[in-house]
mmCIF file of all heavy atoms in Angstrom:
data_model
loop_
_atom_site.group_PDB
_atom_site.id
_atom_site.type_symbol
_atom_site.label_atom_id
_atom_site.label_comp_id
_atom_site.label_asym_id
_atom_site.label_seq_id
_atom_site.Cartn_x
_atom_site.Cartn_y
_atom_site.Cartn_z
ATOM 1 N N VAL A 1 -21.733 -51.481 -5.956
ATOM 2 C CA VAL A 1 -21.538 -51.281 -4.631
ATOM 3 C C VAL A 1 -20.044 -50.892 -4.402
ATOM 4 O O VAL A 1 -19.171 -51.656 -4.787
ATOM 5 C CB VAL A 1 -21.888 -52.472 -3.673
ATOM 6 C CG1 VAL A 1 -21.623 -52.119 -2.274
ATOM 7 C CG2 VAL A 1 -23.288 -52.920 -3.936
ATOM 8 N N ALA A 2 -19.914 -49.714 -3.960
ATOM 9 C CA ALA A 2 -18.355 -49.221 -3.742
ATOM 10 C C ALA A 2 -18.062 -49.364 -2.248
ATOM 11 O O ALA A 2 -18.764 -48.870 -1.312
ATOM 12 C CB ALA A 2 -18.291 -47.761 -4.201
ATOM 13 N N VAL A 3 -17.042 -50.003 -1.954
ATOM 14 C CA VAL A 3 -16.525 -50.476 -0.461
ATOM 15 C C VAL A 3 -15.317 -49.835 -0.209
ATOM 16 O O VAL A 3 -14.292 -49.900 -0.950
ATOM 17 C CB VAL A 3 -16.533 -51.945 -0.359
ATOM 18 C CG1 VAL A 3 -16.266 -52.201 1.065
ATOM 19 C CG2 VAL A 3 -17.787 -52.627 -0.893
ATOM 20 N N GLY A 4 -15.260 -49.135 1.034
ATOM 21 C CA GLY A 4 -13.959 -48.555 1.480
ATOM 22 C C GLY A 4 -14.108 -48.175 2.907
ATOM 23 O O GLY A 4 -15.203 -48.200 3.574
ATOM 24 N N SER A 5 -12.867 -47.866 3.499
ATOM 25 C CA SER A 5 -12.959 -47.409 4.991
ATOM 26 C C SER A 5 -12.007 -46.318 5.040
ATOM 27 O O SER A 5 -10.934 -46.226 4.267
ATOM 28 C CB SER A 5 -12.661 -48.579 5.842
ATOM 29 O OG SER A 5 -11.471 -49.327 5.452
ATOM 30 N N GLY A 6 -12.107 -45.530 6.020
ATOM 31 C CA GLY A 6 -11.181 -44.395 6.148
ATOM 32 C C GLY A 6 -11.173 -43.444 5.029
ATOM 33 O O GLY A 6 -12.282 -43.074 4.489
ATOM 34 N N GLY A 7 -9.993 -43.051 4.530
ATOM 35 C CA GLY A 7 -9.804 -42.274 3.408
ATOM 36 C C GLY A 7 -10.352 -42.908 2.166
ATOM 37 O O GLY A 7 -10.993 -42.204 1.299
ATOM 38 N N SER A 8 -10.296 -44.127 2.133
ATOM 39 C CA SER A 8 -10.789 -44.936 0.949
ATOM 40 C C SER A 8 -12.354 -44.882 0.787
ATOM 41 O O SER A 8 -12.966 -45.226 -0.228
ATOM 42 C CB SER A 8 -10.297 -46.385 0.840
ATOM 43 O OG SER A 8 -8.865 -46.446 0.627
ATOM 44 N N LEU A 9 -12.987 -44.600 1.972
ATOM 45 C CA LEU A 9 -14.369 -44.446 1.870
ATOM 46 C C LEU A 9 -14.796 -43.294 1.063
ATOM 47 O O LEU A 9 -15.856 -43.232 0.333
ATOM 48 C CB LEU A 9 -14.982 -44.443 3.312
ATOM 49 C CG LEU A 9 -16.502 -44.251 3.352
ATOM 50 C CD1 LEU A 9 -17.270 -45.502 2.851
ATOM 51 C CD2 LEU A 9 -16.959 -44.111 4.851
ATOM 52 N N SER A 10 -13.964 -42.144 1.163
ATOM 53 C CA SER A 10 -14.218 -41.057 0.279
ATOM 54 C C SER A 10 -14.080 -41.405 -1.200
ATOM 55 O O SER A 10 -14.840 -41.020 -2.045
ATOM 56 C CB SER A 10 -13.204 -39.825 0.606
ATOM 57 O OG SER A 10 -13.509 -39.361 1.957
ATOM 58 N N ALA A 11 -13.094 -42.210 -1.532
ATOM 59 C CA ALA A 11 -12.885 -42.686 -2.812
ATOM 60 C C ALA A 11 -14.054 -43.499 -3.284
ATOM 61 O O ALA A 11 -14.519 -43.404 -4.436
ATOM 62 C CB ALA A 11 -11.661 -43.660 -2.978
ATOM 63 N N ALA A 12 -14.626 -44.299 -2.344
ATOM 64 C CA ALA A 12 -15.909 -45.094 -2.718
ATOM 65 C C ALA A 12 -16.999 -44.189 -2.950
ATOM 66 O O ALA A 12 -17.777 -44.478 -3.836
ATOM 67 C CB ALA A 12 -16.209 -45.983 -1.464
ATOM 68 N N HIS A 13 -17.121 -43.038 -2.144
ATOM 69 C CA HIS A 13 -18.249 -42.121 -2.546
ATOM 70 C C HIS A 13 -18.056 -41.581 -3.804
ATOM 71 O O HIS A 13 -18.970 -41.331 -4.576
ATOM 72 C CB HIS A 13 -18.270 -41.088 -1.412
ATOM 73 C CG HIS A 13 -18.971 -41.393 -0.227
ATOM 74 N ND1 HIS A 13 -20.344 -41.204 -0.119
ATOM 75 C CD2 HIS A 13 -18.527 -41.741 1.041
ATOM 76 C CE1 HIS A 13 -20.742 -41.658 1.125
ATOM 77 N NE2 HIS A 13 -19.755 -41.957 1.771
ATOM 78 N N PHE A 14 -16.711 -41.229 -4.183
ATOM 79 C CA PHE A 14 -16.381 -40.667 -5.532
ATOM 80 C C PHE A 14 -16.812 -41.698 -6.544
ATOM 81 O O PHE A 14 -17.486 -41.318 -7.625
ATOM 82 C CB PHE A 14 -14.960 -40.295 -5.565
ATOM 83 C CG PHE A 14 -14.625 -39.442 -6.797
ATOM 84 C CD1 PHE A 14 -14.636 -38.040 -6.731
ATOM 85 C CD2 PHE A 14 -14.337 -40.118 -7.998
ATOM 86 C CE1 PHE A 14 -14.392 -37.233 -7.896
ATOM 87 C CE2 PHE A 14 -14.038 -39.331 -9.181
ATOM 88 C CZ PHE A 14 -14.085 -38.019 -9.045
ATOM 89 N N LEU A 15 -16.418 -42.875 -6.454
ATOM 90 C CA LEU A 15 -16.738 -43.872 -7.538
ATOM 91 C C LEU A 15 -18.299 -44.036 -7.697
ATOM 92 O O LEU A 15 -18.760 -44.174 -8.736
ATOM 93 C CB LEU A 15 -16.295 -45.235 -7.065
ATOM 94 C CG LEU A 15 -16.630 -46.614 -7.755
ATOM 95 C CD1 LEU A 15 -16.345 -46.377 -9.334
ATOM 96 C CD2 LEU A 15 -15.981 -47.761 -7.371
ATOM 97 N N ALA A 16 -19.193 -44.086 -6.522
ATOM 98 C CA ALA A 16 -20.444 -44.250 -6.607
ATOM 99 C C ALA A 16 -21.103 -43.094 -7.319
ATOM 100 O O ALA A 16 -21.979 -43.197 -8.143
ATOM 101 C CB ALA A 16 -21.112 -44.459 -5.226
ATOM 102 N N GLN A 17 -20.688 -41.903 -6.957
ATOM 103 C CA GLN A 17 -21.075 -40.642 -7.582
ATOM 104 C C GLN A 17 -20.937 -40.618 -9.144
ATOM 105 O O GLN A 17 -21.776 -40.307 -9.924
ATOM 106 C CB GLN A 17 -20.666 -39.389 -6.983
ATOM 107 C CG GLN A 17 -21.127 -38.088 -7.526
ATOM 108 C CD GLN A 17 -20.540 -36.967 -6.767
ATOM 109 O OE1 GLN A 17 -20.766 -36.885 -5.548
ATOM 110 N NE2 GLN A 17 -20.035 -35.884 -7.454
ATOM 111 N N THR A 18 -19.653 -41.024 -9.385
ATOM 112 C CA THR A 18 -19.239 -41.043 -10.866
ATOM 113 C C THR A 18 -20.013 -42.198 -11.660
ATOM 114 O O THR A 18 -20.422 -41.972 -12.797
ATOM 115 C CB THR A 18 -17.752 -41.360 -10.922
ATOM 116 O OG1 THR A 18 -17.031 -40.273 -10.177
ATOM 117 C CG2 THR A 18 -17.278 -41.277 -12.384
ATOM 118 N N HIS A 19 -20.193 -43.328 -10.980
ATOM 119 C CA HIS A 19 -20.975 -44.311 -11.697
ATOM 120 C C HIS A 19 -22.424 -43.934 -11.968
ATOM 121 O O HIS A 19 -23.009 -44.175 -13.009
ATOM 122 C CB HIS A 19 -20.981 -45.608 -10.699
ATOM 123 C CG HIS A 19 -21.583 -46.873 -11.298
ATOM 124 N ND1 HIS A 19 -20.933 -47.533 -12.193
ATOM 125 C CD2 HIS A 19 -22.706 -47.431 -11.186
ATOM 126 C CE1 HIS A 19 -21.682 -48.524 -12.617
ATOM 127 N NE2 HIS A 19 -22.732 -48.508 -12.045
ATOM 128 N N GLN A 20 -23.057 -43.202 -11.101
ATOM 129 C CA GLN A 20 -24.381 -42.792 -11.369
ATOM 130 C C GLN A 20 -24.568 -41.613 -12.329
ATOM 131 O O GLN A 20 -25.365 -41.685 -13.142
ATOM 132 C CB GLN A 20 -25.055 -42.406 -9.952
ATOM 133 C CG GLN A 20 -25.192 -43.509 -8.999
ATOM 134 C CD GLN A 20 -26.118 -43.131 -7.771
ATOM 135 O OE1 GLN A 20 -26.882 -43.891 -7.264
ATOM 136 N NE2 GLN A 20 -26.046 -41.807 -7.356
ATOM 137 N N GLY A 21 -23.556 -40.844 -12.189
ATOM 138 C CA GLY A 21 -23.535 -39.713 -13.123
ATOM 139 C C GLY A 21 -23.214 -40.123 -14.543
ATOM 140 O O GLY A 21 -23.879 -39.555 -15.488
ATOM 141 N N LEU A 22 -22.137 -40.984 -14.745
ATOM 142 C CA LEU A 22 -21.692 -41.195 -16.075
ATOM 143 C C LEU A 22 -22.298 -42.540 -16.707
ATOM 144 O O LEU A 22 -22.450 -42.539 -17.951
ATOM 145 C CB LEU A 22 -20.313 -41.223 -16.253
ATOM 146 C CG LEU A 22 -19.568 -39.824 -16.073
ATOM 147 C CD1 LEU A 22 -18.119 -39.912 -16.013
ATOM 148 C CD2 LEU A 22 -19.910 -38.900 -17.147
ATOM 149 N N ALA A 23 -22.405 -43.571 -15.894
ATOM 150 C CA ALA A 23 -23.025 -44.725 -16.337
ATOM 151 C C ALA A 23 -24.451 -44.870 -16.306
ATOM 152 O O ALA A 23 -25.222 -45.691 -16.985
ATOM 153 C CB ALA A 23 -22.475 -45.960 -15.536
ATOM 154 N N GLY A 24 -25.162 -43.915 -15.556
ATOM 155 C CA GLY A 24 -26.611 -43.849 -15.410
ATOM 156 C C GLY A 24 -27.127 -45.024 -14.634
ATOM 157 O O GLY A 24 -28.343 -45.414 -14.789
ATOM 158 N N GLN A 25 -26.288 -45.631 -13.775
ATOM 159 C CA GLN A 25 -26.784 -46.783 -12.991
ATOM 160 C C GLN A 25 -26.691 -46.499 -11.475
ATOM 161 O O GLN A 25 -25.961 -45.613 -10.989
ATOM 162 C CB GLN A 25 -25.755 -48.027 -13.324
ATOM 163 C CG GLN A 25 -25.766 -48.494 -14.651
ATOM 164 C CD GLN A 25 -27.077 -49.216 -15.091
ATOM 165 O OE1 GLN A 25 -27.839 -49.667 -14.258
ATOM 166 N NE2 GLN A 25 -27.291 -49.514 -16.380
ATOM 167 N N LEU A 26 -27.581 -47.193 -10.724
ATOM 168 C CA LEU A 26 -27.597 -46.982 -9.282
ATOM 169 C C LEU A 26 -26.301 -47.491 -8.861
ATOM 170 O O LEU A 26 -25.769 -48.414 -9.111
ATOM 171 C CB LEU A 26 -28.810 -47.708 -8.675
ATOM 172 C CG LEU A 26 -30.200 -47.164 -8.844
ATOM 173 C CD1 LEU A 26 -31.111 -48.111 -8.390
ATOM 174 C CD2 LEU A 26 -30.338 -45.784 -8.301
ATOM 175 N N ALA A 27 -25.892 -46.762 -7.685
ATOM 176 C CA ALA A 27 -24.758 -47.157 -6.861
ATOM 177 C C ALA A 27 -24.931 -46.905 -5.406
ATOM 178 O O ALA A 27 -25.662 -45.858 -5.146
ATOM 179 C CB ALA A 27 -23.422 -46.448 -7.392
#
């Protein structure tokens, strides 16, 4: 679960997308 607000919410989206793409795990 990636948590952020404001601009850091975009970073959270990036983390979740990267986690799913490279780790192969749900985010």
Side-chain angles (χ1 to χ4, degrees):
V1 180
V3 185
S5 57
S8 292
L9 184 59
S10 294
H13 276 279
F14 190 93
L15 169 58
Q17 179 174 311
T18 304
H19 188 74
Q20 294 191 148
L22 290 177
Q25 298 285 347
L26 288 174

